[in-house]
Amino acid sequence: VFGADGTPDTAYFNHLADAFLHGQLYLAQPPNNHDLTEYQGHWYVPFPPLPALLMLPWVALAGLPSVQTVLFCAIFGALNVTFVYGLLQALSQRGWTKLSVTDNLWLTGLFGLGSVHWYMATLGSVWFVAQICTVTFVVLAVWSTVANGSPWLAGLALGLAMVGRPNVALTWPLLLGIAALQGRAKEGQIAWSGLVKWAIASAIPMLLAVAGLLLYNNARFGNPLDFGYLSENVADRLKEPLRIYGQFNLHYAAKNFWSMWLAGPQWDAKLNFWKPDPEGMSLFMTTPALLYLGRARRASPLTLGGWLAFILLMIPLLLYYNTGWYQFGYRFSLDFMVPVIVLLAVAAGERVTGSMRTLILVGVLVNLYGLLWWHLR
């Protein structure tokens, strides 16, 4: 359901920003209660508050009714595409990849139009806004590490991303790999003592973000470890598994792996055509250029850090109690898409070949279909 301004009634973060300005942590009059958490007679947004914090100036200056979360999401989506291009260019300028401006534009197009980022950036609901805003600060963390190597800036950016989705802390090995390359460029070999100092310095802002989230939880639910997910007002189909197995469990791994890497579309007899499976579809279908990941085998701290971050980021997603329903493709893939883009830049070698460009274009067409399906369904 959308309001007159196009803002979904499940946007929530705009209302949370308004609540913060009134000294409250709960929504006084939520327009909906789906995926909210009820505690002591109040409805809370269980998701970490990064987007609400980013909306504070807009709400404070213009008032809650003026906030258009779809526009807000689109702005951050555009920033993400710009920042990914900046990251790819910085990697080339350092000599850590060998791609030209044109090649980097192709990979930027893969991210912006050839992945689920495209349709997600056109939505304003709480789940999509959270993921889009989180990606913004993940890209900034990686880009700043490549560009200047500052552990404080990298840790601050990744810490802010964690205030949107805490699991993206697992991007940190990629930052560490980049920092190792920075040190090797100066010393001729990896300076382990300097790398340890870098790691400690970058971890401090991240630990402060964790402390902030724990205090936020304690203020809401009287328990620093309680985000409110276990008592969340989820869809009926999710309540039973959440009650039995909890939020993270090996029980969910097979289904999540299927949705992430293997699932295909569904046949719609009425339309006499294939339609997306709202449980999720294989990333090899929505972003087929990921087939090139197997070529990212160069022995370097950048590649090692990228693969380690990618694998670690997948683990909580495989153990999570839902696949991201209702969606096109596999929306949680945005959590690891930044390391993936870095790995693809390595995998491309000296240029983005014609076959890789073809796969990128196929991905753009698939995601164009997904965009139209979502908005016209």
Side-chain angles (χ1 to χ4, degrees), residues 264-317:
Q266 299 174 329
W267 180 257
D268 189 323
K270 293 182 178 179
L271 295 177
N272 200 33
F273 196 70
W274 297 100
K275 70 175 183 179
D277 184 346
E279 288 272 10
M281 285 198 311
S282 168
L283 287 165
F284 292 129
M285 294 193 68
T286 57
T287 310
L290 293 187
L291 291 168
Y292 273 80
L293 281 175
R295 294 190 177 186
R297 298 190 297 267
R298 186 192 308 171
S300 75
L302 177 66
T303 308
L304 178 61
W307 275 112
L308 187 55
F310 177 31
I311 292 168
L312 289 176
L313 285 161
M314 271 199 293
I315 292 174
L317 301 178

Side-chain angles (χ1 to χ4, degrees), residues 112-137:
L113 301 175
S115 77
V116 295
H117 182 275
W118 188 5
Y119 93 95
M120 290 175 66
T122 67
L123 308 174
S125 300
V126 61
W127 316 278
F128 306 104
V129 171
Q131 288 200 258
I132 293 295
C133 291
T134 297
V135 170
T136 303
F137 291 96

